[in-house]
Amino acid sequence: MNIRKFESKDFEATKYVCLNDMLGKEGYEKIIEYVEIMFCRYYLEKEPENCFVAVDENDKVVGYTYGVKDYDTYQENFADYINAVAELENRRFLSEALIEMYDHAIYKKDYPAHLHIDILPDYQSKGIGSKLIKAFCDNLKEQGVKGVMLIVGSENEGARRFYERNGFSLLQEKPTGAAYGKKL
C-alpha cells in the first residue's frame, strides 16, 4: 500500500471512496449529490495540495484524507458550494446543520485546519488510516499550520478510538458530533 499526493486522475476514484457507503443502498440516492458537493468536490477542486490517497499495487485508490489548512479561507471559498447544496431540493436544512456543526470558530486559533478521511471497507483496520493521517499532518506542519480538527459522529465509537490513537483529543461534544483536535 502506498500513500501519495492526490493527482487529478484520482478525482473519480476518490469520489467513489467518499460515496461508497451509500451507493446502491435504498434511500441514499437522494443525498449522494449533497454528499459529493459537501464532502468531496471542494477539497479536490480547491485544495488538492492538501489531499492524499492510499493506493494499492495497481494504483487503485482505496482511501483518502483531505482537508484545508486554514478554516477562514475555507469559509470564504465554500460559499459557492453551500449555494449549490441550497439549490438541491430539500437539502437546505442539511447544509444549515453542517454549517453549525463545522463552525469551529472557538477552535480555529489553535486548530485552523480540518480534515476528512475515508477508506474502503476491505482496506480498513490495516494501518492505512494512520498513514494517511500522518501524511496529511506532516504536510500541514511543512506549511506552518499548528493544529487540525475534525468532527466525528457522537456514536461512532470506532472512529473516536481511531482518532484518539492518532493523537487527537476531544475538544467538544454536541448531539450532532464530537470535535477532536490535534496540535502539530
Side-chain angles (χ1 to χ4, degrees):
M1 200 59 52
N2 185 36
I3 308 299
R4 65 169 170 75
K5 284 263 195 179
F6 168 84
E7 300 172 12
S8 59
K9 69 176 184 166
D10 301 322
F11 186 89
E12 289 301 318
T14 304
K15 185 171 80 171
Y16 172 80
V17 174
C18 180
L19 300 174
N20 180 64
D21 288 344
M22 292 176 275
L23 297 174
K25 292 183 180 173
E26 188 175 328
Y28 283 95
E29 61 278 349
K30 294 181 178 182
I31 66 165
I32 286 177
E33 188 176 8
Y34 165 81
V35 171
E36 178 188 341
I37 292 169
M38 297 300 290
F39 296 105
C40 193
R41 282 188 11 210
Y42 174 86
Y43 306 97
L44 301 179
E45 292 174 356
K46 297 290 188 185
E47 295 203 39
E49 69 277 8
N50 295 315
C51 301
F52 292 84
V53 292
V55 295
D56 68 8
E57 62 278 352
N58 297 313
D59 207 38
K60 173 190 168 194
V61 175
V62 300
Y64 66 79
T65 188
Y66 46 61
V68 302
K69 69 178 186 175
D70 177 63
Y71 191 74
D72 286 336
T73 302
Y74 164 77
Q75 276 191 309
E76 289 170 19
N77 294 327
F78 200 62
D80 292 339
Y81 294 85
I82 292 289
N83 291 337
V85 166
E87 291 174 11
L88 297 174
E89 184 180 338
N90 298 321
R91 302 308 191 298
R92 183 173 295 277
F93 75 96
L94 291 171
S95 31
E96 289 170 357
L98 187 77
I99 291 167
E100 177 188 343
M101 189 167 80
Y102 277 95
D103 182 16
H104 72 266
I106 60 175
Y107 311 118
K108 69 182 179 181
K109 179 180 173 243
D110 294 323
Y111 307 97
H114 75 253
L115 73 85
H116 298 280
I117 185 170
D118 203 353
I119 301 167
L120 292 174
D122 289 347
Y123 295 89
Q124 293 176 5
S125 299
K126 298 178 187 293
I128 297 169
S130 294
K131 290 177 184 176
L132 282 165
I133 294 277
K134 182 179 181 340
F136 183 80
C137 289
D138 287 350
N139 179 59
L140 292 178
K141 276 194 257 185
E142 289 173 12
Q143 296 179 63
V145 177
K146 60 183 178 178
V148 60
M149 63 134 346
L150 57 88
I151 303 290
V152 63
S154 292
E155 296 178 11
N156 191 342
E157 291 300 323
R160 292 173 74 142
R161 285 190 303 274
F162 166 76
Y163 294 123
E164 290 167 1
R165 281 194 311 270
N166 281 279
F168 287 82
S169 301
L170 180 65
L171 301 174
Q172 184 181 36
E173 187 89 34
K174 290 185 173 187
T176 54
Y180 279 82
K182 179 177 181 173
K183 300 272 185 162
L184 302 176

